[in-house]
């Protein structure tokens, strides 16, 4: 009878360990529940500076918003990822000076990073960057001078 009880008890313990995982047993000393550990990337904040100008003379209205983005494109999916973004309101004329804070530790040296900018008013894009200006990696500049033009319809 004792042998049968011992076998059943052993089976129950092994089944419990297999089903629920190791629950702070004497063999491995693991805690009852392991927390999901979040691996944090070290924060190494840097600032990218530059200007945004427009070749065309346009009046700047109070509803205009200038959005500046530091982006890169994923090679596999082609999806654009935004690393840092800043929206400037209440500017009176061009050129507009900006400083954009980004986490340098998140940058991948093999990726190509570029600046994008546009001016919008009430959700309508009025001006956009004339080209994607490479910055930061692969020997590219760390100061961005962006030129805006009217978008092609």
């Amino acid at each position: 009878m004792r042998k049968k009880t011992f076998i059943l008890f052993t089976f129950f313990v092994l089944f419990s360990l297999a089903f629920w995982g190791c629950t702070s047993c004497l063999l491995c000393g693991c805690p009852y529940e392991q927390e999901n550990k979040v691996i944090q990337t070290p924060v190494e904040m840097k600032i990218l500076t530059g200007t945004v100008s427009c070749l065309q003379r346009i009046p700047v209205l109070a509803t205009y918003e200038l959005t500046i983005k530091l982006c890169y494109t994923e090679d596999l999916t082609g999806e654009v990822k935004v690393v840092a973004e800043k929206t400037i309101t209440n500017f009176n004329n061009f050129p507009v000076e900006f400083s954009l804070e980004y986490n340098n530790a998140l940058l991948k040296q093999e990726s190509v990073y570029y600046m994008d900018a546009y001016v919008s008013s009430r959700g309508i894009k009025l001006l956009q960057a004339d080209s994607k200006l490479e910055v930061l990696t692969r020997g590219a500049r760390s100061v961005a001078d962006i030129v805006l033009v009217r978008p092609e319809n």
Side-chain angles (χ1 to χ4, degrees):
M1 186 71 165
R2 262 188 189 184
K3 192 173 187 179
K4 190 175 186 181
T5 305
F6 177 77
I7 292 172
L8 286 174
F9 176 75
T10 305
F11 176 76
F12 177 75
V13 169
L14 292 175
F15 176 77
S16 298
L17 288 175
F19 186 74
W20 287 294
C22 186
T23 57
S24 190
C25 68
L26 298 174
L27 296 175
C28 69
C30 293
Y32 178 70
E33 289 183 23
Q34 292 185 357
E35 299 175 8
N36 291 334
K37 295 180 183 176
V38 177
I39 299 172
Q40 294 183 350
T41 307
V43 177
E44 184 184 335
M45 298 308 286
K46 289 197 174 186
I47 296 176
L48 179 70
T49 60
T51 60
V52 177
S53 59
C54 181
L55 297 178
Q56 302 161 334
R57 296 188 57 84
I58 61 165
V60 176
L61 302 177
T63 59
Y64 285 9
E65 294 181 342
L66 172 62
T67 303
I68 304 161
K69 297 179 181 182
L70 173 61
C71 309
Y72 75 98
T73 305
E74 291 261 333
D75 290 334
L76 300 174
T77 62
E79 182 181 348
V80 174
K81 301 282 187 173
V82 177
V83 177
E85 182 176 352
K86 183 175 191 175
T87 301
I88 301 172
T89 57
N90 298 326
F91 60 97
N92 297 327
N93 55 7
F94 290 103
V96 177
E97 292 184 5
F98 70 89
S99 61
L100 187 64
E101 191 174 47
Y102 65 94
N103 186 352
N104 192 48
L106 295 177
L107 299 185
K108 302 172 188 173
Q109 291 303 317
E110 65 275 359
S111 295
V112 177
Y113 292 85
Y114 62 91
M115 296 299 298
D116 191 15
Y118 61 89
V119 171
S120 63
S121 177
R122 298 183 181 147
I124 299 171
K125 191 181 282 190
L126 304 172
L127 300 168
Q128 67 184 18
D130 67 342
S131 63
K132 298 190 183 316
L133 182 66
E134 279 190 41
V135 290
L136 303 178
T137 57
R138 297 184 180 186
R141 66 189 102 206
S142 60
V143 176
D145 296 317
I146 305 167
V147 177
L148 300 178
V149 294
R150 293 191 189 272
E152 296 177 10
N153 292 333

